Amino acid sequence: MRLAYLGTGDIGLPTLRALATRHEIAAVITQPDHPAGRGLALREPAIKRLAHELGLVVLQPERLRRPEAVGSVRALEVDALVVFAYGQILPQSVLDLPRLAALNIHASLLPRWRGAAPIQAAIRAGDSHTGHTVMFMAAGLDTGDILLQREIPIGADETGGSLHDRLAALAPECILKALELLDRGIAPRQAQDNTLATLAPKLEREAGLLDWNLSAGELARVVRAYDPWPGAYTALPDGRKLKVFRTMAGARSGTPGIVLSADSEGIIVACGEGALGLREIQVEGRKRLPAAEYLRGHSLLAGTKLG
């Protein structure tokens, strides 16, 4: 089939590579290069680098809904659009262009976790399973009819990063099967049950601030969900940021945010329910360390208030 691939996120790298081996990619459409780092040098999306490696045409419209961008996609004359973590909402004028369909790969079992951050939302909520949905795109936010779904379990120690990588590896199988069914004219369409929909809005950096009034179990999931981004953190009494990576929920109790103990077992902080053991941390300006190792060179007294 002749395809246009629309994506920006690293999660789509295996998918683009797989599609290029089985189909004709008329163009890869991705977001414009953006300033990054301390020097604010322009950084190109990883998808763009892979596309050039594969010898593919790359388009980077500022806004896909602009008439000149729509015209560029129309000129490709594709059988289907494949969209995966692109980062812009596609207007109906673009969805109507392919001969057969515009398909989206979404990293959740829709209608659960519609939106920009389904991977983190599933871990934070304590879901036991997630997966991919390949859907026919519609004008709403992840509301299109379902073509197929693939499910995987969420591990007890799963982080946002590890689940991202597992879903990245699963996606090629999903879209290749979906395109096969589409090409054969037997692709199913199942309407979503909107009454079961939940939302996973875009995450901001501030989302990782730990609210010690929550239960220890929920905070442990927050830490795992937001590793590596946006990262979970609290504040030391001197105002420095304390990033938190590995934790363990326990049954001790106390005033939320108060350090109950800080010793060879790590740092134990009281929560709204139970207590959270901080096993791996990073104090602002220092390297990431096991909490017990950090405490060998720095004191943190019981009774200290965090946050």
Side-chain angles (χ1 to χ4, degrees), residues 110-111 114 136 143-147 188-194:
L110 291 171
R114 294 172 176 173
F136 293 92
T143 57
D145 292 347
I146 295 169
L147 193 159
R189 297 187 71 128
Q190 176 186 341
Q192 295 187 42
D193 184 346
N194 293 325

Side-chain angles (χ1 to χ4, degrees), residues 145-259:
D145 292 347
I146 295 169
L147 193 159
L148 64 77
Q149 292 184 317
R150 293 290 184 271
E151 181 178 294
I152 59 171
I154 297 176
D157 297 321
E158 197 87 62
T159 66
S162 66
L163 187 54
H164 168 283
D165 292 348
R166 291 174 61 212
L167 288 167
L170 176 66
E173 168 197 328
C174 300
I175 192 60
L176 290 174
K177 182 62 176 179
L179 289 170
E180 175 192 339
L181 296 173
L182 185 68
D183 193 34
R184 292 168 56 193
I186 56 172
R189 297 187 71 128
Q190 176 186 341
Q192 295 187 42
D193 184 346
N194 293 325
T195 65
L196 301 177
T198 56
L199 296 179
K202 181 180 178 180
L203 290 172
E204 303 296 340
R205 189 173 298 276
E206 295 74 19
L209 178 62
L210 295 174
D211 179 358
W212 296 108
N213 293 301
L214 300 176
S215 71
E218 184 171 356
L219 286 173
R221 295 197 301 271
V222 168
V223 172
R224 290 191 292 107
Y226 295 166
D227 180 3
W229 199 90
Y233 65 94
T234 187
L236 293 169
D238 61 9
R240 286 181 299 167
K241 181 181 288 187
L242 176 67
K243 295 182 180 179
V244 180
F245 297 96
R246 288 194 303 112
T247 65
M248 180 177 295
R252 295 175 64 179
S253 62
T255 302
I258 296 295
V259 174

Side-chain angles (χ1 to χ4, degrees), residues 120-135:
Q120 293 87 351
I123 296 175
R124 176 165 183 166
D127 292 358
S128 61
H129 289 76
T130 188
H132 279 307
T133 300
V134 179
M135 63 178 165

